[in-house]
Amino acid sequence: MEPANTRAPLASAPGEPAAELPALAIACLSLAAFGSGVALRVNDALLPRLAQEFTVGLGQAAQVISLFSIAYGLSQLVFGPLGDRYGKYRVIAWATLACGATSLLCALAGGFEWLLFARVLAGATAAAIIPLSMAWIGDVVAYERRQPVLARFLIGQIVGLSAGVWLGGFAADHLSWRTPFFMLAGLFVLISAALWRVNRQLPAHARQMRPAEGSQLRRMIDDFSHILGLPWARVVLLTVFLEGLFLYGPFAFIASHLHGHFGLSLSLAGSLVMLFGLGGFVFALGSTRLVKGLGEVGLARWGGGLLFIALLSLALTPAWWVAAPACLLAGLGFYMLHNTLQLNATQMAPAQRGAAVSAFAFCFFLGQSAGVSIAGLAVERFGSAWVMGLGAAGVLAVAWVFAGRRERRAH
């Protein structure tokens, strides 16, 4: 497979010449994914500080994560069809600008309830960025070349997830908890301006729209009904829901676990969790070779195995430094598994690709929100080590069952 080329030819209609993407088209989407990743994970290491600031329990403070995920997931039901109808790149540019406004609302929140409300809005506005970017890449890159391109696009999200955890931890120790949200507001505005500039330069095929007849609500219902009627789509959607539940429930408490069990500062704990992103970065750089050598089935199986080892190590280790290789392995394993699921999502329903990838993201973030909510209750009752151990077993089972189904489908 070829590497992601920012000058790659677009898929063209029969009889029409191939067009080229502007040099910054995918890079700007990756920057938007970076902002989305920061917004998603910035509260992980902030949880103890927020609990202290607003005089709430750690589980209750975790609502700033779970409500963001719920809003993110539910909003997919709107943004997928909107991207198909009005143009995916255009909708992403609008949504990124809206993310700047909702990040500012988070920074200015006057109480815990207002912060929760602002995080709901932030999740809703961020919902368009990564799913529609993936769907747009699916529109313009052929299937056999798509997985490495998706991996390279997701470098932005990978770095953003790690930077969000680190920034939250650093702010918890040295700054106000509001500072990261002010920074995010400015970042999203700059990214939106870049996206609008690129959108004006896109060739016609990269700005394709699918005008809908009748009401938008009717078309949304028809699109999602069609997707849910596809047997393989149901397998992919259930798998990514369970992946989000078993992985991101424990993941949200890794920094708090290291802080509580080993007395690490939140900034150091956040820095260790950043290695999750480094593991994803390793996958992105080696994605072409890994895809060729392992295939989709091998990536899913090995990814699940690495996640199992990583989470179990975090649960059982008596030494804090084990968290460093464990977080790195977790990042590598997650992106091996999740990128394979993403690839399948982009091809579930090509005629409704925006809605299909949005349904995928909806299930993933619904799983995340359920996982964080359940883990938040379990942490206060049983401790974070138990939560990570159960997550390890769950994600291994999910990965291996999916790999078996994918192998049978290939034959």
Side-chain angles (χ1 to χ4, degrees):
M1 295 185 182
E2 301 174 24
N5 187 341
T6 54
R7 287 289 187 182
L10 293 165
S12 302
E16 295 184 3
E20 289 187 341
L21 296 174
L24 296 178
I26 293 177
C28 286
L29 292 179
S30 192
L31 281 174
F34 170 83
S36 177
V38 173
L40 175 62
R41 298 263 67 99
V42 70
N43 281 302
D44 287 9
L46 275 176
L47 288 182
R49 176 72 178 270
L50 292 174
Q52 180 182 24
E53 181 85 14
F54 296 107
T55 318
V56 296
L58 193 63
Q60 187 177 354
Q63 291 177 8
V64 298
I65 300 172
S66 59
L67 289 178
F68 180 100
S69 297
I70 291 171
Y72 189 110
L74 290 175
S75 297
Q76 302 305 323
L77 303 177
V78 176
F79 281 121
L82 282 179
D84 285 333
R85 184 168 186 172
Y86 296 109
K88 299 176 183 67
Y89 214 98
R90 181 185 181 191
V91 173
I92 295 166
W94 274 117
T96 308
L97 182 60
C99 284
T102 55
S103 297
L104 185 60
L105 287 177
C106 290
L108 298 175
F112 188 64
E113 292 76 14
W114 282 107
L115 178 60
L116 292 180
F117 176 69
R119 284 290 286 173
V120 168
L121 295 181
T125 54
I129 295 174
I130 292 174
L132 286 186
S133 295
M134 288 168 49
W136 183 82
I137 290 171
D139 288 341
V140 302
V141 179
Y143 184 81
E144 63 273 10
R145 297 178 52 241
R146 196 177 300 160
Q147 192 162 12
V149 175
L150 286 170
R152 285 167 174 78
F153 152 71
L154 286 170
I155 287 175
Q157 183 199 28
I158 292 167
V159 177
L161 292 172
S162 298
V165 176
W166 175 83
L167 180 60
F170 186 81
D173 283 337
H174 304 292
L175 306 169
S176 166
W177 66 266
R178 301 177 189 273
T179 303
F181 295 109
F182 281 119
M183 296 172 67
L184 269 174
L187 176 65
F188 275 124
V189 170
L190 292 176
I191 294 171
S192 179
L195 287 167
W196 279 113
R197 181 173 180 178
V198 170
N199 184 65
R200 290 193 293 269
Q201 300 170 0
L202 291 177
H205 291 300
R207 291 183 285 110
Q208 59 185 321
M209 303 180 191
R210 188 165 58 92
E213 297 178 3
S215 72
Q216 179 70 14
L217 179 61
R218 180 72 258 171
R219 189 55 179 259
M220 286 169 56
I221 293 172
D222 290 345
D223 283 349
F224 288 115
S225 296
H226 172 71
I227 293 162
L228 291 174
L230 303 172
W232 182 242
R234 292 197 297 271
V235 170
V236 174
L237 296 177
L238 177 60
T239 301
V240 79
F241 170 83
L242 293 174
E243 179 198 38
L245 187 148
F246 284 116
L247 174 61
Y248 274 99
F251 185 86
F253 293 92
I254 292 177
S256 300
H257 175 78
L258 296 174
H259 175 67
H261 280 250
F262 301 107
L264 301 185
S265 68
L266 289 171
S267 55
L268 177 56
S271 297
L272 290 172
V273 178
M274 277 186 71
L275 293 170
F276 181 91
L278 180 60
F281 193 72
V282 169
F283 170 74
L285 293 180
S287 58
T288 300
R289 184 170 297 178
L290 286 170
V291 169
K292 185 176 181 180
L294 297 177
E296 294 178 41
V297 174
L299 285 171
R301 282 186 176 143
W302 278 95
L306 292 178
L307 282 168
F308 174 77
I309 293 170
L311 289 175
L312 198 62
S313 298
L314 287 166
L316 300 178
T317 180
W320 68 265
W321 57 264
V322 174
C327 287
L328 190 147
L329 278 181
L332 177 59
F334 169 70
Y335 282 98
M336 289 172 69
L337 172 61
H338 192 67
N339 186 254
T340 303
L341 294 175
Q342 288 173 328
L343 176 69
N344 281 267
T346 64
Q347 204 62 21
M348 292 190 305
Q352 294 90 15
R353 188 171 278 121
V357 178
S358 291
F360 175 86
F362 167 76
C363 291
F364 182 47
F365 277 85
L366 195 63
Q368 284 192 42
S369 62
V372 172
S373 298
I374 294 170
L377 295 174
V379 161
E380 294 184 344
R381 185 166 184 178
F382 303 109
S384 53
W386 274 99
V387 169
M388 291 179 195
L390 291 173
V395 78
L396 179 67
V398 168
W400 278 63
V401 169
F402 173 78
R405 296 291 295 268
R406 185 66 184 86
E407 189 171 35
R408 290 192 293 272
R409 178 178 170 83
H411 296 99

